[in-house]
Amino acid sequence: MNALKTIDRNRLAVIGVGLAAVLFLAVNLAVNLSLRSAQVDLTERGLYTLSDGTRKVLTSLTEPITLRLYFTRALGESYPGHQAYANRVRELLERYVNISGGKIRLEVKNPEAFSEVEDEAVTFGLQGLPYDQSGDRGYFGLAGTNSVDGKAVIPYFTTEREPFLEYDLTKLVYSLATLDRPVVGMVARLPVEGGFMMGQRPVPAWAVINQIRELFDVRTMPAEFNAVPPEFGMLMLVHPKNLSDETLYAIDQFVMRGGRVLAFIDPNAETEAPNPQAPAGPSDIDRLLKSWGVTFIKDKVAADLQSARRVNVRHEGQITQVDYVAWNSLDRRNLDTTDAVVADIRDLNVGSAGIIEPAEGATTTFRPLVTTSENSEALDVAKLQGRIDIVGLFRDFKPSGKKLVMAARVTGPVKSAFPDGPPLIGEGPDAEKARAEKAKTHLAESQKPLNAVIVADTDVLHEGLWAEIRNVNGEQLMVPYAGNSDFVINAVENLSGGDVLLGLRSRGDSKRPFLMVEKIQLEAERKFRAEQEKLAQELQETQKRIEGLTNREGANGEAILTAEEKTAIAEFRRKMIDIRHDLRNVQHALRKDIDALDAWLKFLNIAAIPLILGFAALVIAVVRRLSRAGARPVTE
Amino acid sequence: MRNIWIIAKRELAGYFATPLALVFIVIFLALTGAFTFYLGRFFENGQADLEAFFRFHPWLYLILIPAVAMRLWAEERKSGTIELLMTLPVTTTQAVLGKFLAAWAFCGIALALTFPVWVTVNVLGEPDNGVIVAGYVGSFLMAGAFMSIGACMSAMTKNQVIAFIISATVCFLFTMSGLDLVLNFFQAWAPALIVDTVASLSFLVRFDAVMRGVIDLRDVLFFVSLIAFFLFTNVIVVEVKKSA
């Protein structure tokens, strides 16, 4: 009877546990399906909270947009990471649908091998990835369409771009939503739009230009032009130089009519390819800049020790790491975060940027957007041409204590750079006539205040400074590590009159370096670099002297040396060994403080607390024993 | 509630009455530190975040928490003190909860003692402290889940070694359930819904999500419901064994 009772209890227990298991699974299943946006984003910059830019884009939609998310289930079964990411993409898109108030329609599809859905995905240009032995392809991409057959596609969601997911999705929606895109005129003296170099392979367009194209109607201006079409909202000037008076006048009058300008000027454009027809040199639109109230210092480059980028250089026959003061990785300390263009930028990389200043007697307001730290120096451009002595630049760096301006926003009323009216183009009566004709519409003063952003660097545009190209499934994937493209797109968007995208951030994995280690490293280097240099020079001289003595050979190939010379050589050799030893010591000293810090941190994090705990336990045990021993006589 | 509190307090004090707790904490701290600095190459990476620190928590818990949990009930049963415990005016549920809370709090103390790494990363650079807070919350929740499994398994057997092995195995399955190893077993016969559900039981996937800096209610509910399930099972097992 008792046994029966026990069996019943056991059975009851098993049933109870079974039911609890079912309840546990059911609760989690239900919660997974229903509770989608109940989360607390603890990240400093709200990385997983929709940005204002996205909200603005979604709430300002007027036309319906259909998004088709293709995800092959079997792909998720083979790669669980993909499944988790696909869930995130789907949930994010569902939030887009909610915020858009029904303007966005979402279809989730499962393109299985050899199905119609797979054909559809392929037609949209989605990329398949073989996921098993059979070679069947799995798809994980997005195709969007609008009401006028416009199409935009993300061929494959790679996990490498996960931090940029919101940015990519919102840009896709935005590109489908804006039917009349702002027109941007491009005047470039650098191969930003790619093309064919003479006798060489085709050169692709710079990544940032492709990104601008996704959102704006970019129209390339010819080398020379006499007017800017009226539909142009803004002009983007990249390394403008050798512009004819006619072209300069066209730009000037465009500005007088209220056209916006985004200018990238550079005293030392590192991306400028050698070209015998147009020799390298600084940008040159001084005439226009002067009328806008800006002075561009053409023979100087802004160097900054605080934000210098660390590079590997061959120095004295060895590869060493050194801070290249002319290449800067700027952070929020260098940016005017109250201006919308740079408000959300976390870091910006520039390469030998120039310096701009407000001109004397300017009628405009000059607002610095990007500056160096006070640990800066205006370097001669000549020092960065030909063979650059990066170590020397670092060693001889003399901080000026001044912040140098690398980019600024210039606003306010301006007068034409052509106060005497249009320039005379060509000679003869026809030219005079044309000039008189133009003079009728000449504007001597701006009709609307100028609004221009002047950036004293063109290298800031090139992806070599701000993105890593990774090859994922045979596709070139751009993974930014600095906010350069955000900066440029923000500027274009802001100047072309829109502000929808301004709050949209690509929010990559910003680097959070060990600032303390960097500081120690910098101090150590400054301390030892001069000494290292001196020793290296001594070493070289000693080697030369030995060579000089041993090179004097006799007829039979043997060195003819006097006894003194032999002693001298032996002495030099000894000295050489000593110098090498000292040099090694200096190099070792460079790392010493950092190695010591590393060792201390390891000790503190691995052993310190256990040791303290052990000691505390010991003390407690001893105290207890003593108090027990002390208590004994009383009880006895 | 009062009874739970009394038991929890007594249990927690019990941990520190022997050097066992100290040994466990020392091992935990030394291993997390060593893993972070040597395997995770925290200093060499030069990044002011605690990814290298949290990444190893599931694997450390996999071994260390079953070791703490194994004696929770197994020892009581072996030494016969369970009968004594059950004669006290407390219900089985109160005893189970009290013991679990004490063990979980003990894990919390061990976790809190890793604070030097948080200080370190803040001295070295400017980390995103929100992400670090999320990491600690996630790690603590995950420790609770491991502990509830361990406690339940400990109640099933008198032998502590067996309790350790079983709970480590169950914890391993939960940790890995997002991976092929486990999913393949279900894929053969179960519908997609079940496979997805099993995949969603993975501690690794859940903890990864929290470690990013986002505390999702679903992840919190997952850990809490898992703890509740194993504690319920624990109560039932103790009841059944008591009557046996």
Side-chain angles (χ1 to χ4, degrees):
Chain A
M1 194 65 192
N2 260 348
L4 197 67
K5 245 187 190 172
T6 316
I7 290 168
D8 278 344
R9 267 185 92 89
N10 283 346
R11 192 172 288 167
L12 213 62
V14 170
I15 292 170
V17 171
L19 282 176
V22 171
L23 186 68
F24 164 70
L25 290 175
V27 163
N28 276 287
L29 200 64
V31 161
N32 281 349
L33 292 174
S34 60
L35 274 179
R36 287 236 158 122
S37 51
Q39 56 182 33
V40 188
D41 184 353
L42 292 178
T43 57
E44 193 179 77
R45 300 171 65 214
L47 289 186
Y48 300 95
T49 308
L50 287 188
S51 70
D52 288 346
T54 296
R55 285 183 187 279
K56 265 193 246 169
V57 168
L58 296 178
T59 49
S60 61
L61 292 177
T62 51
E63 290 292 313
I65 286 172
T66 306
L67 299 177
R68 295 176 185 85
L69 175 66
Y70 292 91
F71 179 67
T72 308
R73 282 204 71 89
L75 190 70
E77 284 158 11
S78 294
Y79 304 102
H82 275 62
Q83 180 68 56
Y85 188 24
N87 291 344
R88 211 191 136 206
V89 174
R90 199 189 62 234
E91 285 166 17
L92 194 58
L93 287 173
E94 281 166 359
R95 287 180 68 191
Y96 277 37
V97 171
N98 284 339
I99 297 171
S100 74
K103 280 280 184 285
I104 295 181
R105 224 162 59 90
L106 176 68
E107 294 170 13
V108 182
K109 302 190 169 202
N110 175 18
E112 287 171 333
F114 307 108
S115 65
E116 268 179 40
V117 186
E118 183 184 21
D119 292 345
E120 197 182 293
V122 172
T123 315
F124 270 119
L126 261 61
Q127 233 185 12
L129 181 78
Y131 59 85
D132 63 8
Q133 300 292 330
S134 67
D136 288 349
R137 288 179 173 269
Y139 296 82
F140 180 20
L142 184 76
T145 50
N146 61 13
S147 52
V148 290
D149 288 341
K151 192 182 90 172
V153 169
I154 294 176
Y156 198 93
F157 286 102
T158 47
T159 41
E160 277 87 350
R161 269 197 77 87
E162 187 169 355
F164 310 99
L165 177 63
E166 183 200 337
Y167 183 75
D168 290 345
L169 294 180
T170 305
K171 251 175 44 178
L172 181 135
V173 171
Y174 179 79
S175 68
L176 288 170
T178 36
L179 302 176
D180 298 317
R181 300 182 188 192
V183 182
V184 176
M186 176 77 70
V187 181
R189 286 289 186 273
L190 290 176
V192 291
E193 299 196 76
F196 287 89
M197 301 288 277
M198 284 226 290
Q200 287 175 1
R201 284 184 303 159
V203 182
W206 292 10
V208 74
I209 303 298
N210 286 335
Q211 292 188 352
I212 299 174
R213 275 192 195 286
E214 284 174 22
L215 306 164
F216 303 91
D217 181 1
V218 180
R219 300 202 196 151
T220 310
M221 298 297 282
E224 299 293 340
F225 53 92
N226 58 14
V228 179
E231 70 270 23
F232 281 33
M234 68 165 285
L235 276 182
M236 181 164 158
L237 312 177
V238 181
H239 201 34
K241 59 179 188 175
N242 308 326
L243 300 180
S244 67
D245 278 357
E246 192 182 17
T247 305
L248 284 174
Y249 181 71
I251 299 173
D252 175 77
Q253 289 300 297
F254 169 73
V255 169
M256 294 304 126
R257 288 201 309 271
R260 314 288 180 86
V261 173
L262 172 60
F264 292 89
I265 52 178
D266 204 336
N268 181 45
E270 295 182 21
T271 47
E272 193 166 20
N275 180 355
Q277 270 126 36
S283 311
D284 180 15
I285 46 165
D286 292 1
R287 187 170 185 171
L288 295 176
L289 288 176
K290 198 178 154 205
S291 82
W292 301 342
V294 177
T295 303
F296 169 46
I297 303 172
K298 279 179 168 171
D299 56 346
K300 298 281 185 192
V301 163
D304 186 7
L305 194 62
Q306 181 186 291
S307 57
R309 288 183 70 189
R310 186 153 279 255
V311 293
N312 286 325
V313 289
R314 182 169 275 280
H315 183 66
E316 308 293 356
Q318 279 188 326
I319 300 284
T320 75
Q321 281 203 328
V322 65
D323 286 318
Y324 185 17
V325 291
W327 274 9
N328 301 110
S329 206
L330 306 163
D331 58 32
R332 292 180 76 75
R333 292 171 291 182
N334 305 95
L335 308 172
D336 172 12
T337 48
T338 58
D339 192 292
V341 169
V342 284
D344 286 319
I345 308 293
R346 206 180 155 88
D347 29 36
L348 188 70
N349 287 350
V350 296
S352 63
I355 304 162
I356 49 173
E357 289 172 353
E360 261 183 59
T363 53
T364 47
T365 310
F366 181 95
R367 181 179 179 179
L369 294 181
V370 183
T371 58
T372 62
S373 72
E374 273 151 9
N375 206 351
S376 70
E377 185 187 8
L379 282 181
D380 285 334
V381 166
K383 286 189 178 167
L384 300 182
Q385 282 157 354
R387 237 183 93 94
I388 308 169
D389 179 13
I390 293 175
V391 176
L393 291 177
F394 176 81
R395 191 187 53 229
D396 305 331
F397 188 86
K398 287 185 192 63
S400 64
K402 268 198 322 194
K403 286 188 172 183
L404 305 172
V405 181
M406 294 165 157
R409 182 193 285 274
V410 186
T411 48
V414 287
K415 288 208 165 86
S416 169
F418 295 82
D420 305 327
L424 186 68
I425 311 295
E427 285 172 13
D430 280 354
E432 282 291 353
K433 215 171 126 188
R435 181 185 172 179
E437 193 61 36
K438 266 193 174 175
K440 286 181 194 162
T441 54
H442 174 75
L443 294 170
E445 279 180 24
S446 56
Q447 289 178 323
K448 285 184 201 162
L450 165 79
N451 188 358
V453 171
I454 316 286
V455 184
D457 187 33
T458 53
D459 307 301
V460 71
L461 294 168
H462 195 269
E463 54 270 25
L465 271 192
W466 55 267
E468 196 178 59
I469 316 284
R470 287 190 206 154
N471 195 327
V472 179
N473 314 329
E475 196 196 346
Q476 300 280 317
L477 187 78
M478 177 93 45
V479 183
Y481 53 79
N484 291 30
S485 68
D486 294 352
F487 167 65
V488 178
I489 287 171
N490 277 356
V492 175
E493 148 98 335
N494 181 251
L495 290 170
S496 62
D499 66 341
V500 182
L501 289 172
L502 271 183
L504 181 65
R505 294 157 286 167
S506 60
R507 305 195 267 198
D509 299 322
S510 296
K511 299 226 176 337
R512 289 176 180 270
F514 287 166
L515 299 173
M516 189 187 180
V517 176
E518 283 185 356
K519 216 173 126 197
I520 295 174
Q521 212 155 16
L522 205 66
E523 269 167 25
E525 270 179 32
R526 294 208 24 101
K527 215 159 95 191
F528 292 111
R529 195 60 81 186
E531 203 178 327
Q532 186 188 26
E533 197 81 353
K534 201 183 87 203
L535 286 172
Q537 216 165 358
E538 251 179 73
L539 183 68
Q540 233 173 0
E541 275 167 25
T542 315
Q543 270 169 336
K544 260 189 210 151
R545 277 189 207 161
I546 295 176
E547 273 168 31
L549 284 174
T550 50
N551 275 353
R552 287 189 297 116
E553 289 177 356
N556 54 359
E558 281 173 12
I560 317 163
L561 297 171
T562 64
E564 288 94 61
E565 281 172 336
K566 280 183 183 159
T567 326
I569 288 178
E571 183 62 30
F572 282 144
R573 289 223 162 105
R574 204 167 33 248
K575 195 174 164 194
M576 200 164 79
I577 291 167
D578 285 348
I579 297 171
R580 282 216 176 110
H581 182 249
D582 288 348
L583 204 57
R584 261 201 310 276
N585 281 348
V586 168
Q587 267 156 358
H588 185 240
L590 275 173
R591 283 273 334 158
K592 207 177 75 184
D593 289 349
I594 291 167
D595 287 343
L597 179 69
D598 184 17
W600 261 108
L601 292 178
K602 279 181 180 144
F603 170 75
L604 284 175
N605 282 288
I606 299 168
I609 298 284
L611 283 178
I612 293 170
L613 286 179
F615 183 70
L618 203 68
V619 170
I620 292 169
V622 170
V623 169
R624 271 189 193 159
R625 180 155 293 189
L626 285 179
S627 64
R628 235 178 277 150
R632 210 168 292 143
V634 181
T635 51
E636 276 172 1
Chain B
M1 199 66 204
R2 215 176 134 258
N3 284 343
I4 297 172
W5 176 238
I6 292 168
I7 292 174
K9 232 166 59 176
R10 204 203 70 175
E11 280 281 323
L12 193 59
Y15 283 119
F16 291 98
T18 64
L20 211 68
L22 194 71
V23 170
F24 171 81
I25 290 181
V26 166
I27 290 175
F28 175 72
L29 293 180
L31 281 182
T32 42
F35 280 12
T36 307
F37 277 83
Y38 291 100
L39 289 184
R41 300 178 64 78
F42 170 76
F43 196 75
E44 289 80 358
N45 292 342
Q47 282 298 306
D49 60 43
L50 287 189
E51 203 264 332
F53 168 71
F54 286 119
R55 201 189 326 149
F56 298 104
H57 282 203
W59 308 108
L60 278 170
Y61 289 164
L62 193 57
I63 303 300
L64 293 178
I65 291 190
V68 175
M70 68 185 185
R71 50 169 287 282
L72 274 181
W73 292 98
E75 196 174 71
E76 300 257 16
R77 288 189 53 209
K78 196 177 171 203
S79 61
T81 47
I82 193 162
E83 281 81 14
L84 186 72
L85 181 72
M86 289 308 153
T87 57
L88 295 174
V90 287
T91 63
T92 307
T93 310
Q94 285 168 343
V96 165
L97 277 175
K99 272 175 172 285
F100 167 75
L101 287 178
W104 196 15
F106 176 68
C107 292
I109 292 169
L111 194 59
L113 285 173
T114 60
F115 72 90
V117 75
W118 176 75
V119 176
T120 301
V121 78
N122 272 281
V123 169
L124 286 176
E126 292 169 355
D128 190 336
N129 281 312
V131 176
I132 295 177
V133 168
Y136 270 108
V137 171
S139 182
F140 185 56
L141 279 173
M142 188 169 62
F146 274 106
M147 188 57 82
S148 67
I149 294 173
C152 179
M153 299 307 143
S154 166
M156 287 185 179
T157 169
K158 276 183 193 170
N159 189 324
Q160 292 194 26
V161 177
I162 292 175
F164 172 81
I165 292 170
I166 298 176
S167 53
T169 310
V170 176
C171 288
F172 179 75
L173 289 177
F174 268 102
T175 309
M176 305 289 283
S177 76
L179 302 187
D180 271 2
L181 184 78
V182 178
L183 288 186
N184 282 345
F185 170 74
F186 289 93
Q187 270 161 12
W189 54 271
L193 192 70
I194 303 273
V195 179
D196 283 355
T197 309
V198 171
S200 75
L201 298 181
S202 165
F203 285 179
L204 280 184
V205 174
R206 298 283 182 172
F207 185 52
D208 269 358
V210 183
M211 242 170 60
R212 285 197 325 233
V214 183
I215 297 185
D216 196 307
L217 193 58
R218 287 173 293 181
D219 296 328
V220 175
L221 277 175
F222 164 73
F223 283 122
V224 171
S225 60
L226 187 104
I227 291 171
F229 167 70
F230 277 101
L231 290 183
F232 172 74
T233 310
N234 193 345
V235 171
I236 293 205
V237 172
V238 173
E239 283 286 337
V240 167
K241 297 275 180 185
K242 194 166 70 175
S243 62

